[in-house]
Amino acid sequence: MTPAERLLLAAKRCEIDDLEHLTAACDIVGDVSRFIHALQKERGASNVYLASGGQRFTERRQERIDECQATERALRTRLEALGETAGRPAATARLLKRVAFVWHALEGLDALRDDIAALGTSPDAATQSYNQLISALLSVVFEVADTAGDPDITLALVAIFHLMQGKELAGQERACGAAGFTSGTFDDAHRQLLLHLIDAQQRCFDTCLEFTSEAVRQLWQQEMPSRTLAGIQQLREMACGDVALPENASTLGETWYELTTWRIDAMQRVETFMIGELTSLCLTRTLDARRSLTQREELTRQLNDALPGVCQQLVELLDGSASQELGEVTARVVGSSLNRSLVELMRAQAGRLQALSDELEDTRRALRERKLIERAKGLIMSHQKMSEEQAYAFLRKMAMDQSKSMAEIAQTVLGLADILQPTAETGIES
């Protein structure tokens, strides 16, 4: 075996070592996923318990705590072994720091549960405490994705992270809605929070589905039946509307909890499937790398193909003559295929940057149009005494009748705001 082949073999062994450590880190993602899911259910049940003054969900909350503690033990076992493997740790220093922060946050979980049991904290304060712990756990997943070397594994981790982040926002929506319905009221701050959570989680799901496999996209569609989503949407409109909740709203807290839990459990099934795909991908990459160690012909081919362009271009510049002047060589570099490749690379990069800029501008434009529509909808609701759904349908019909976009119609409506508002001096509406 030549020295070059020995060096390439050493590189392959390093690659296998990196893949094995990355696989170990991806296993942590699975444990974190299960623990977060259990924490999210405990958080939702705790909010119903607190908002009802301890009258509802006492037993269910304890069931969620038991489930959470089981997944926590599994995660702790994995984290304890993380930095204790032979040789270098199975993680980067940044990942180990994230894990240390998570471990510290876990120490306060029992005290939080005691406060909730004694009704010594508010639903908002309890939610905030759970949110901080879950955020620390999500940062571990982000760190694994950020340090992965294989591009396909990185993409899989990015998709998983966005699904987990979107599911966490859906869990926060469940907790907020459970507290509001159980207490029988939503103030402006909590209505705005719900609207923000609904919008933010959808952006996370869109990003996840953009980067994931077709199998995951199909599973997502199967797991989200329209009937359940319609029930959730109806309760969302009740919570975010200006009309007071009905007298039996406190019983809707459990209905809301059941529907949103069903949706979040469906997300967890998709998440589990994606983690299974990730595990399979890590295994395939490791097996391929191990197999290449025994194939000397493949090593030779890789060595022969390793420097196909740059070195050959430099040789061609001189045409076998050592007497060419530097200026002539430089002139040939400018016209060489090497230089043309660099130019094409720069153009491609500029094109990608322009595409990103265009996408960002499209997003900003969509947000501006959405704000216009929301403002126009609010004006119509106020003046015409319509519900939010009726006002939206009214705007949409006007847009269809006039063959214009809803944003254009909304701008027209807002332009008539002075006419539509009651006259202050006479008290007569126009």
Side-chain angles (χ1 to χ4, degrees):
M1 182 176 292
T2 67
E5 289 174 339
R6 284 197 296 271
L7 286 170
L8 189 56
L9 273 178
K12 289 289 183 181
R13 294 190 184 98
C14 288
E15 179 185 349
I16 292 170
D17 186 52
D18 288 339
L19 284 168
E20 288 176 343
H21 287 98
L22 180 57
T23 301
C26 290
D27 289 340
I28 293 173
V29 172
D31 287 327
V32 168
S33 167
R34 288 181 285 274
F35 183 44
I36 287 178
H37 188 59
L39 275 173
Q40 289 166 337
K41 291 195 287 186
E42 180 183 331
R43 177 181 57 195
S46 296
N47 265 30
V48 174
Y49 175 84
L50 287 169
S52 67
Q55 299 302 307
R56 298 178 184 271
F57 273 33
T58 302
E59 293 183 2
R60 184 172 299 192
R61 174 177 169 270
Q62 187 56 53
E63 291 172 358
R64 298 298 180 239
I65 291 174
D66 294 341
E67 178 184 349
C68 199
Q69 288 174 334
T71 56
E72 180 184 349
R73 285 192 293 270
L75 178 62
R76 282 180 179 271
T77 300
R78 181 87 66 179
L79 296 183
E80 283 179 342
L82 183 61
E84 298 176 359
T85 54
R88 68 182 179 87
T92 64
R94 283 162 39 191
L95 178 56
L96 290 174
K97 287 180 180 178
R98 297 285 189 188
V99 170
F101 294 146
V102 167
W103 199 279
H104 179 72
L106 287 174
E107 301 303 324
L109 191 52
D110 287 339
L112 172 62
R113 289 167 176 156
D114 291 341
D115 282 347
I116 293 172
L119 302 178
T121 186
S122 67
D124 284 345
T127 296
Q128 183 64 24
S129 296
Y130 281 110
N131 292 356
Q132 290 173 352
L133 175 55
I134 293 173
S135 177
L137 288 161
L138 284 173
S139 72
V140 172
V141 180
F142 175 82
E143 200 62 56
V144 174
D146 194 39
T147 56
D150 185 283
D152 291 333
I153 293 176
T154 299
L155 283 179
L157 282 164
V158 166
I160 290 171
F161 174 75
H162 279 88
L163 176 56
M164 294 177 74
Q165 189 176 40
K167 187 165 75 72
E168 164 56 10
L169 294 170
Q172 292 183 24
E173 181 195 2
R174 173 176 59 186
C176 179
F181 280 117
T182 303
S183 64
T185 183
F186 287 90
D187 58 22
D188 288 339
H190 287 86
R191 281 195 289 268
Q192 290 300 316
L193 175 60
L194 280 175
L195 290 171
H196 168 73
L197 291 171
I198 292 167
D199 186 61
Q201 66 186 267
Q202 188 58 51
R203 291 199 301 269
C204 289
F205 297 144
D206 290 344
T207 302
C208 167
L209 295 175
E210 179 182 353
F211 287 107
T212 196
S213 66
E214 180 61 29
V216 172
R217 286 190 282 270
Q218 291 178 2
L219 180 61
W220 178 266
Q221 294 297 326
Q222 296 170 10
E223 291 286 356
M224 298 293 166
S226 57
R227 184 174 180 180
T228 300
L229 297 180
I232 293 174
Q233 183 59 29
Q234 184 178 1
L235 290 175
R236 282 174 169 174
E237 291 172 358
M238 290 177 61
C240 298
D242 293 330
V243 180
L245 296 178
E247 294 182 359
N248 66 339
S250 62
T251 62
L252 292 178
E254 295 187 27
T255 303
W256 166 266
Y257 181 85
E258 295 299 337
L259 286 174
T260 51
T261 295
W262 192 97
R263 176 173 176 253
I264 292 171
D265 285 345
M267 295 177 195
Q268 179 65 16
R269 290 192 289 272
V270 176
E271 193 174 298
T272 300
F273 181 84
M274 293 174 69
I275 291 172
E277 280 191 334
L278 173 64
T279 302
S280 178
L281 179 59
C282 289
L283 179 61
T284 299
R285 288 287 191 272
T286 304
L287 290 176
D288 288 344
R290 286 189 177 280
R291 193 177 298 114
S292 67
L293 289 177
T294 61
Q295 298 175 348
R296 185 169 180 178
E297 295 81 3
E298 177 65 16
L299 293 177
T300 303
R301 186 193 65 78
Q302 290 183 28
L303 286 172
N304 292 332
D305 295 344
L307 301 173
V310 177
C311 292
Q312 185 63 31
Q313 288 297 328
L314 294 176
V315 171
E316 289 175 355
L317 293 176
L318 297 175
D319 283 339
S321 171
S323 61
Q324 284 185 301
E325 296 181 2
L326 182 59
E328 194 175 353
V329 172
T330 304
R332 300 211 38 195
V333 168
V334 173
S336 70
S337 58
L338 169 62
N339 184 68
R340 289 194 296 272
S341 297
L342 291 174
V343 171
E344 290 302 318
L345 179 61
M346 292 173 65
R347 286 176 178 171
Q349 186 178 22
R352 286 194 295 270
L353 290 174
Q354 184 60 49
L356 287 173
S357 178
D358 293 343
E359 183 179 349
L360 180 59
E361 181 55 36
D362 290 342
T363 302
R364 288 171 176 165
R365 186 184 304 111
L367 288 173
R368 288 194 295 269
E369 292 177 354
R370 181 168 183 172
K371 289 180 180 179
L372 282 175
I373 294 170
E374 289 297 320
R375 288 172 56 199
K377 189 170 62 177
L379 185 61
I380 293 171
M381 290 167 62
S382 175
H383 185 266
Q384 300 294 333
K385 308 303 180 186
M386 290 183 177
S387 67
E388 184 177 3
E389 184 177 2
Q390 289 171 332
Y392 185 86
F394 178 77
L395 279 172
R396 184 171 55 188
K397 186 176 186 305
M398 288 180 63
M400 293 175 63
D401 291 344
Q402 300 182 34
S403 298
K404 294 183 177 180
S405 69
M406 288 189 65
E408 290 175 311
I409 295 298
Q411 186 66 64
T412 301
V413 170
L414 292 172
L416 299 174
D418 292 338
I419 300 176
L420 293 175
Q421 293 297 331
T423 304
E425 296 179 358
T426 64
I428 300 174
E429 292 185 358
S430 302

